[in-house]
Amino acid sequence: MSFENNHVKEEYIVEGMTCAACVRAVEKAVSKIEGVERPVVNLATERLTFEVSQEVDKGRVFEAVERAGYSLKEIPVFRKAVMEIDGMTCAACSAAVEKAIGRLHGVENVSVNLSSDTVSFKYDPNILKIGEVKKVVEKAGYRPGNLVTEAFEESRLKKEAAIASYKRKFIFSAAFALPLLIIAMGHMMGLSLPAIIDPHLNPLNFAIVQLILTIPIVVAGRDFYSKGIPNLFRGSPNMDTLVGLGTGAAFSYGIFATVQIALGRHSYVGDLYFESAGVIIALISLGKYLENLSRGRTSDAIMKLMNLSPETALVKRQDVFEEVAIEEIEVGDVLLVKPGMRIPVDGKVLNGASSVDQSMITGESIPVDISESSKVIGGTTNINGAFEMRATVVGSDTLLSRIIKLVEDAQSSKAPIARMADVVSGYFVPFVLVIAAVTFLVWMTLGYGLVFSMSMMIAVLVIACPCALGLATPTAIMVGTGRGAEMGILFRNGEALETTHKIGAVVFDKTGTITEGRPRLVDVHTFGKHERERVMQISASIASKSSHPLDVAISGAYSGPLLEVSSFEAYSGKGILARVSGQEVKMGNHRFISLTPEEMKFVDELSSEGKTPVVVSIEGRAAAVLGIADVVREDSLDAIKSLKKMGIDTYMMTGDNSRTAMAIANQVGIENVISEVMPEDKAKKVSDLKREGKTVMMVGDGINDSPALAEAHIGIAVGSGTDIAIETADVVLMSDNLSNIFKAIKLSKETIKNIKQNLFWAFFYNVIGIPLAAGLFYGVAGIRLNPMVAGAAMAFSSVSVVTNALRLKKIKI
């Protein structure tokens, strides 16, 4: 992404965040650093992004985040490679290979496995090529063999580790929490306990057994205390703080009660609260496990795109095709692509023919036929025939790499609707702490005693859920942008995804958007005794000598044998004079060739239909009028009908004259036509519509329309994937199908609807849950919320938000 005023984008991984309060704390800490602008933290992706307009000390950024209670990591660029080595016989050989590769700049963690004759290492592909590694291995006296590379999927591995960690914590906690709950609450449900731990016969044993069972659970949930409590003193309390205070208070009271029992005050045996601390931690661990499991599915689209790129390719080296790592491919290399293989990089077909499945890139399910000179996209699948291609774009510049980067940026961005949640989260946890303290004091003042008052306070602390608030927007944005990528609809960021649903007017560029962008011969009307086939043969023979777009359309419409053209003379703005098989032939506009009033009617008729008339005369007499037009796309009419049904105004903007423009507009059902507009004036026309109070979407090809795309609230580049389109447009459609515009708006509406649902339930849950936990209904209806029930409700609130966001994957668009 480019920025004005030489702004540069920085991106880091943030560790230790659990809720919206954490997001607020990190953004606040980083924003105080001079030179850092617009910091954005995404809880779902655990990414911090910001812009810098001057040199910023990275150390200060790391320190600021650490002071806020979190840690920062740079996004790793290293890849892992495993290479076969021939010729190693002993430990000295393995040491020699390790030493040779280890000396290379950009290499880390070199390790030779003598038993499998392989060497594994991490390397930075921006610094080092695998070919250099092979050279040093050969120089050391050994033969490098086959290579297998693995993408350094740090984010995926980290998510898997988090899922596994919470799963272990839950299983471990549950193993102790279940017997703890039975011992503590079983006698209330008629279960009898052994005499040795019976609360009536041996109250101290009853308390000590619960203490012993609770300690491992508290140790398993130590992050709530080691991270949450310090954040309270840093002035940025979060979800961990609430859980840490709630369970810590319950555990501390349990220890106090145990001491009192040991001193002979057996009345304390009735309310130990060990089970509250233990069960709450176990339930929250279960909730975090399910939440992380669900969140892992939000980035499925990115993983699918990343897996499209093959790890190796067949590259021509001295007339032999060798299997090499994809990182070794350079521009100009000749590659062989066999049936069933994924195309490694972007390129052009040299020889051969096949069909290619581009559905994962464009969203279109119908395979594309390719032959010599066809362009192919890296990551797409070759279906049947084999072909050779020349690499034209490699590495991070391929279309697939740019799409992945665009989707990653969109998923890490923050939509404007999220700002409300950010503001609320900044005050939410302190507010909950105040409510909890007030709850405790009020019930104590009313004479309900320490145990009852503390129970109410703990329930307030653990039922509050800022994590649901923090996940409400980013998870929906991740799933929405991912769903769009699968359909070939690429949103640049969360703001574009949100704004798209507000569109009230869509302005279409005509050429290349509503129409196909290339002239075609659509009408042939002959005069007198001239036969159509003969006229076409003569016209195509002349047209084949010219590169004018109209002549290309004529020659392209005829596939038969051509005649000899003995002379050829072009008159600018008029036409061509030539001799074909001895006959004088003129081909051009009606000002170049004299026509009778009857013949002129056909010219006017074609012009009124938006077609360009080309007159052909043979030996001084008009032989035919050819109608050439930029044909309307098959899907234009349906796409515009769909937009109208949504209540969206449609406009067409073109440089054509008003008569031609109206003819095209009538074919597709557009009433609002802006004609005779120069390319440089298109942005002004868009600006005029904006001043009328409309939220405007501009749809163009992303090349000469770039100023207008930038001026519109939302700019959509259709079916290009060009550099200019991706840099300028807010939304890029990877196929030419205009129905994707309707789908983009529908997807935006569904995503924003999903976000509002998430935010509503996150707020509603707390609006109802906190008063209930505080005992507001206890005095009126005797309703009291057990702290364990509050913990369960908190644990599953964030799971429900993520699950709701995942519904976007299956909503019919």
Side-chain angles (χ1 to χ4, degrees), residues 43-56:
L43 180 61
T45 60
E46 296 181 318
R47 288 289 195 272
L48 161 66
T49 57
F50 56 84
E51 299 168 30
V52 294
S53 56
Q54 61 188 57
E55 191 69 29
V56 173

Side-chain angles (χ1 to χ4, degrees), residues 532-706:
R532 186 184 190 282
E533 185 68 19
R534 179 64 177 175
V535 170
M536 281 301 303
Q537 186 180 33
I538 292 171
S539 303
S541 299
I542 297 172
S544 66
K545 305 295 182 183
S546 170
S547 60
H548 190 282
L550 297 181
D551 294 323
V552 171
I554 294 170
S555 61
Y558 181 76
S559 57
L562 299 177
L563 302 172
E564 182 183 349
V565 180
S566 57
S567 68
F568 181 96
E569 191 171 355
Y571 295 85
S572 180
K574 294 181 179 179
I576 297 168
L577 174 63
R579 296 196 72 82
V580 182
S581 298
Q583 292 180 301
E584 183 185 86
V585 180
K586 275 186 173 184
M587 193 164 69
N589 59 43
H590 64 277
R591 290 181 293 275
F592 187 51
I593 299 168
S594 298
L595 297 174
T596 65
E598 190 66 26
E599 292 166 343
M600 192 64 195
K601 285 182 181 178
F602 290 99
V603 172
D604 292 337
E605 186 179 322
L606 290 174
S607 297
S608 66
E609 294 172 357
K611 300 168 186 174
T612 301
V614 175
V615 183
V616 180
S617 74
I618 300 174
E619 294 293 349
R621 297 192 65 177
V625 177
L626 313 180
I628 298 172
D630 185 4
V631 180
V632 171
R633 292 186 191 277
E634 291 181 5
D635 56 352
S636 294
L637 180 60
D638 288 339
I640 288 160
K641 277 183 180 177
S642 297
L643 292 174
K644 285 184 173 181
K645 283 181 182 177
M646 296 178 81
I648 296 172
D649 296 331
T650 55
Y651 293 76
M652 188 182 79
M653 187 155 54
T654 177
D656 290 347
N657 61 62
S658 58
R659 188 166 64 172
T660 301
M662 284 303 301
I664 297 293
N666 289 336
Q667 289 183 53
V668 294
I670 293 179
E671 294 89 6
N672 305 300
V673 178
I674 306 170
S675 58
E676 300 180 23
V677 181
M678 298 300 289
E680 59 270 23
D681 294 329
K682 288 183 178 180
K684 184 179 181 301
K685 296 295 183 182
V686 171
S687 180
D688 290 343
L689 288 174
K690 286 169 66 178
R691 276 197 292 272
E692 292 176 17
K694 299 179 185 289
T695 303
V696 181
M697 173 185 285
M698 173 70 195
V699 184
D701 58 17
I703 303 171
N704 60 354
D705 299 315
S706 54

Side-chain angles (χ1 to χ4, degrees), residues 349-516:
V349 177
L350 294 177
N351 57 68
S354 183
S355 294
V356 175
D357 179 2
Q358 298 183 348
S359 58
M360 280 299 293
I361 301 292
T362 65
E364 298 294 327
S365 58
I366 300 173
V368 177
D369 293 331
I370 60 164
S371 56
E372 187 177 338
S373 298
S374 296
K375 290 182 179 180
V376 288
I377 303 170
T380 56
T381 304
N382 181 29
I383 297 176
N384 41 38
F387 62 89
E388 291 182 16
M389 59 172 283
R390 188 179 302 282
T392 56
V393 182
V394 300
S396 60
D397 295 325
T398 63
L399 179 59
L400 178 61
S401 296
R402 294 192 344 257
I403 289 172
I404 291 171
K405 179 61 178 164
L406 194 65
V407 178
E408 285 179 334
D409 287 345
Q411 293 192 339
S412 297
S413 66
K414 187 171 288 186
I417 196 172
R419 290 171 191 150
M420 176 179 64
D422 287 347
V423 172
V424 172
S425 66
Y427 299 99
F428 181 78
V429 178
F431 171 76
V432 171
L433 291 172
V434 171
I435 293 295
V438 170
T439 298
F440 178 78
L441 293 173
V442 167
W443 288 113
M444 283 291 288
T445 305
L446 293 174
Y448 280 82
L450 176 64
V451 174
F452 182 92
S453 303
M454 190 177 71
S455 173
M456 292 297 195
M457 179 190 73
I458 293 170
V460 170
L461 288 171
V462 298
I463 199 169
C465 190
C467 48
L469 201 58
L471 290 169
T473 302
T475 49
I477 293 291
M478 285 184 72
V479 178
T481 52
R483 177 78 186 276
E486 290 173 356
M487 295 190 295
I489 303 168
L490 306 180
F491 290 92
R492 173 171 289 283
N493 50 42
E495 184 172 359
L497 182 61
E498 179 177 340
T499 305
T500 299
H501 90 285
K502 302 175 183 175
I503 293 303
V506 177
V507 180
F508 292 90
D509 174 57
K510 179 184 79 72
T511 307
T513 304
I514 289 177
T515 64
E516 292 182 352

Side-chain angles (χ1 to χ4, degrees), residues 23-24 27 61 65 183 221 239 276 318 333 479 502 512 531-532 540 544 595 610 629 662 667 669 746 751:
V23 170
R24 182 75 171 172
E27 287 182 346
V61 179
V65 173
I183 292 170
M239 185 203 79
S276 291
Q318 299 177 347
D333 280 348
V479 178
K502 302 175 183 175
E531 294 180 354
R532 186 184 190 282
S544 66
L595 297 174
M662 284 303 301
Q667 289 183 53
K746 182 79 183 297
T751 303

